[in-house]
């Protein structure tokens, strides 16, 4: 959680931190499995046994699907490894990306609402999209957050602590 630690303000402490859910790897893993299946079972499924450049059609297809799956897996790894979601006693911090960075740093007293969008699969596997709605009407969505209901609960709890400190 390098980004979170580097951006802390004076007397600011991290209350909760996370990375994207492992679900980000599923599409690329599925593509790689398809490539392996094409390579292994291609000779048995091939209606036409066409050869191009010393490869059969199913081998070329397996290579293309495998290369695409490997590229997507690398993208998923970069997204998973270099994205950080955090809640401090003062702000909500979210950063995604490595080459192209998207970040949100919103003070707790500037948050109007935290919206959760969760599919059926997301509910079953424990991930969802968290949309932070700021006082100016800004809507900042962050996808594939693990335990999004817990994330929202921690944000609401910290907002409550901030309001209590202001009234004291």
């Amino acid at each position: 959680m390098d980004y979170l630690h580097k951006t802390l303000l004076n007397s600011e402490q991290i209350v909760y931190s996370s990375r994207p859910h492992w679900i980000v790897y599923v599409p690329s893993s599925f593509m790689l499995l398809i490539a392996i299946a094409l390579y292994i079972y291609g000779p048995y499924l091939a209606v036409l046994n066409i050869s191009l450049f010393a490869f059969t059609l199913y081998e070329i297809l397996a290579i293309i699907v495998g290369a695409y799956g490997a590229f997507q897996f690398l993208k998923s790894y970069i997204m998973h490894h270099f994205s950080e979601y955090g809640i401090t006693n003062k702000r909500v911090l979210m950063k995604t990306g490595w080459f192209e960075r998207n970040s949100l740093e919103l003070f707790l007293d500037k948050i109007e609402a935290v919206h959760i969008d969760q599919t059926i699969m997301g509910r079953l596997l424990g991930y969802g999209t968290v949309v932070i709605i700021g006082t100016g009407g800004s809507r900042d969505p962050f996808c594939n957050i693990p335990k999004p209901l817990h994330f929202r609960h921690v944000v609401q709890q910290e907002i409550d602590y901030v309001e209590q400190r202001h009234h004291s």
Side-chain angles (χ1 to χ4, degrees):
M1 300 293 167
D2 223 18
Y3 176 80
L4 297 179
H5 291 289
K6 286 181 181 178
T7 58
L8 289 177
L9 302 173
N10 291 336
S11 72
E12 188 173 28
Q13 299 170 351
I14 297 172
V15 177
Y16 178 82
S17 64
S18 183
R19 293 201 182 277
H21 193 269
W22 58 263
I23 198 73
V24 299
Y25 292 108
V26 169
S28 58
S29 299
F30 185 67
M31 292 297 289
L32 290 171
L33 286 174
I34 289 174
I36 291 168
L38 276 171
Y39 187 77
I40 293 172
Y41 298 109
Y44 306 109
L45 302 173
V47 176
L48 299 172
N49 206 5
I50 301 171
S51 293
L52 299 168
F53 309 110
F55 292 104
T56 61
L57 187 59
Y58 74 87
E59 289 173 329
I60 293 171
L61 192 57
I63 291 169
I64 291 170
V65 171
Y68 181 74
F71 175 73
Q72 291 301 319
F73 191 86
L74 180 63
K75 279 179 54 177
S76 298
Y77 174 79
I78 289 171
M79 195 269 255
H80 184 265
H81 188 73
F82 290 99
S83 295
E84 302 175 37
Y85 310 127
I87 303 165
T88 72
N89 58 333
K90 295 182 179 186
R91 300 179 292 167
V92 172
L93 303 158
M94 297 183 176
K95 182 206 59 125
T96 59
W98 183 32
F99 294 120
E100 296 177 10
R101 180 176 286 181
N102 179 21
S103 66
L104 167 72
E105 297 179 11
L106 191 58
F107 282 94
L108 293 170
D109 60 354
K110 301 296 183 194
I111 295 174
E112 282 188 359
V114 181
H115 174 74
I116 305 295
D117 185 18
Q118 226 176 357
T119 62
I120 293 171
M121 187 64 70
R123 289 196 63 192
L124 291 172
L125 298 177
Y127 69 94
T129 299
V130 173
V131 181
I132 305 290
I133 302 169
T135 54
S138 65
R139 298 176 67 84
D140 297 294
F142 288 86
C143 302
N144 301 314
I145 296 201
K147 302 178 185 174
L149 296 174
H150 178 68
F151 188 93
R152 178 176 61 190
H153 175 75
V154 174
V155 170
Q156 291 170 337
Q157 193 172 24
E158 289 304 312
I159 289 171
D160 189 45
Y161 291 153
V162 167
E163 289 175 358
Q164 287 176 8
R165 280 182 285 204
H166 285 301
H167 294 328
S168 300

